[in-house]
Amino acid sequence: MKLNELRDNPGATKKPKRVGRGPGSGTGKMGGRGIKGQKSRSGVAIKGYEGGQMPLYQRLPKRGFNKPNRREYAVVNLGLIQKFIDAGKIDAGQDITEDALIASGLVRRKRDGIRVLSKGEYTSKANIAVTGASKGAIEAVEKAGGKLTLTAPAAAAE
């Protein structure tokens, strides 16, 4: 077998339909679009239009609910806190507060408080004071010899 002998299996590829190439092609003149009407013109956008009937996406009921005054926490993982402590951006000797996390650049803004999750390795013996924390995060901090205290959430959300 040589490179110039390579070819597809018979019937594997099909030539594209060339529209509007004369009456002998079978798709000449109107190019398979029929006579007049919106669909025969260029620049048509019909999509979900059903001829004036209420479209399907509007007939189906809405589902779910978004609580307008829900609390939104800035989320931080313990592994990231440990990484910032190792890098010297957070001082483990002092209490790690929400303001300290923002000052270090780990959290951009406080929102309704900061919530700590247990993802990642945490080994520092440090006291952390935040608005919220998962059970796993509290256990991990206490296992490392520190203490995780929860403060009252911001009152602005209520």
Side-chain angles (χ1 to χ4, degrees):
M1 181 180 280
K2 299 180 189 96
L3 278 177
N4 66 325
E5 291 173 354
L6 286 176
R7 58 170 37 103
D8 253 327
N9 296 333
T13 55
K14 198 174 172 187
K15 286 219 166 153
K17 185 186 281 189
R18 294 188 71 210
V19 175
R21 293 292 185 277
S25 69
T27 52
K29 199 180 175 190
M30 268 73 134
R33 287 172 175 256
I35 306 166
K36 293 187 185 175
Q38 187 179 8
K39 287 182 181 172
S40 73
R41 323 257 190 238
S42 66
V44 172
I46 295 177
K47 294 192 174 79
Y49 188 70
E50 297 183 20
Q53 176 174 299
M54 188 63 70
L56 180 67
Y57 67 89
Q58 283 182 300
R59 276 180 279 167
L60 296 173
K62 289 182 184 171
R63 287 290 312 250
F65 175 75
N66 287 326
K67 192 176 174 184
N69 57 348
R70 68 183 175 279
R71 290 223 168 95
E72 288 212 16
Y73 295 105
V75 177
V76 178
N77 288 318
L78 275 177
L80 276 175
I81 294 175
Q82 182 61 49
K83 195 174 172 184
F84 271 58
I85 291 171
D86 294 341
K89 294 179 182 177
I90 298 175
D91 183 20
Q94 297 176 332
D95 284 3
I96 299 171
T97 61
E98 293 183 346
D99 295 326
L101 290 171
I102 292 166
S104 70
L106 183 56
V107 180
R108 186 176 287 173
R109 61 182 74 86
K110 204 186 283 190
R111 294 213 165 109
D112 294 328
I114 294 175
R115 185 170 156 82
V116 176
L117 303 179
S118 64
K119 187 178 180 183
E121 290 291 316
Y122 184 77
T123 53
S124 296
K125 185 180 178 183
N127 294 337
I128 303 174
V130 287
T131 308
S134 65
K135 287 179 185 174
I138 295 170
E139 288 169 14
V141 171
E142 286 172 356
K143 189 177 169 188
K147 191 176 180 195
L148 204 157
T149 52
L150 301 180
T151 58
E158 292 185 28

